Amino acid sequence: MCGRFVIAKDLGFIAEAFEVDEFNQSQDFRSYNIAPSTQVPIIIEREIDGLPSREIHSARWGLVPSWAKEISGAPLFNARIETVLEKPSFKEAALIKRCAVPASGYFEWQSVGDTKEPFYIYPEESMLAFAGIYWWWRDPSKLATDPTRWQLTTAIFSKDSAPNLSFIHDRSPVMLSPENISAWLAPDYETSQELLDALSEESDLVAQNLSYHKVNRALGSVSENTARNIEAI
């Protein structure tokens, strides 16, 4: 699973790295301890006047399905790639609302006896792109004239961990290769299980090139949000 991750770069860097056309330059998502329910950047692609436009938007990390009456309970921040087309909470978005979530790296906790040791997992260069889905949820308690009635929400796909990372945790986020981000973001088709199976295999190839090291357990508190969180111990 992926329950905490890091964005150490500003939106200008992210936009250049992922060839984004439109983004709000005033937004800053940099954080060394991103937790569910917070706002994160998502990369989506839309067709405008017959041409693809890649954009960055701010979304709540924790997908809210269209039928939900309110935002309550544990946020749906991870969607299992094996069952995402079957689960009522995710299948509507999974078919057509694909996105990528940029990250500098992410944390996983390794169980050691009665304790858990956190690891930081990251690429040596550039950034990761997690495969995800998004959905615009309308708050039924707000008036149709209230511009805040719509909330953009997102979930990150998870899968069985790649062989080289399985000793840390049995699940990991699904990671997109730079070559196939465009195919994932394209808005003109419905997601199939065959595509998801191929995406899972591709994620393992991306994982082969990642580095990792142990980090301080203090990051378990969301109030701990400094570069010290990713320093090796």
Side-chain angles (χ1 to χ4, degrees), residues 82-103:
E82 301 90 345
T83 58
V84 71
L85 292 177
E86 303 169 8
K87 297 295 184 181
S89 296
F90 297 121
K91 64 180 182 180
E92 189 175 20
L95 281 174
I96 56 172
K97 299 295 187 183
R98 294 173 295 274
C99 69
V101 181

Side-chain angles (χ1 to χ4, degrees), residues 21 25 36 52 63 92-93 109 116 152 168 183 197 201:
D21 302 303
Q25 298 186 35
L63 191 133
E92 189 175 20
W109 277 256
K116 290 188 176 182
L152 184 59
I168 300 175
D197 292 342
E201 293 180 7

Side-chain angles (χ1 to χ4, degrees), residues 35 72 80 92 104 123 126 134 136 142 147 154 214:
S72 62
R80 295 175 69 94
E92 189 175 20
S104 298
S126 192
Y134 68 96
W136 283 100
K142 295 184 177 181
T154 190
K214 285 185 180 182

Side-chain angles (χ1 to χ4, degrees), residues 193-227:
Q193 189 58 53
E194 290 76 14
L195 171 64
L196 296 179
D197 292 342
L199 200 66
S200 182
E201 293 180 7
E202 179 187 80
S203 180
D204 286 351
L205 297 178
V206 175
Q208 288 178 6
N209 296 314
L210 299 183
S211 299
Y212 51 82
H213 54 247
K214 285 185 180 182
V215 290
N216 197 306
R217 279 184 283 179
L219 71 88
S221 170
V222 294
S223 63
E224 292 293 327
N225 191 357
T226 70

Side-chain angles (χ1 to χ4, degrees), residues 5-9 14 29-32 34 40-41 102-105 127:
F5 68 98
V6 172
I7 296 177
K9 302 294 185 180
I14 294 171
F29 295 96
R30 284 176 290 185
S31 173
Y32 290 92
I34 298 172
V40 299
S104 298
M127 297 187 75

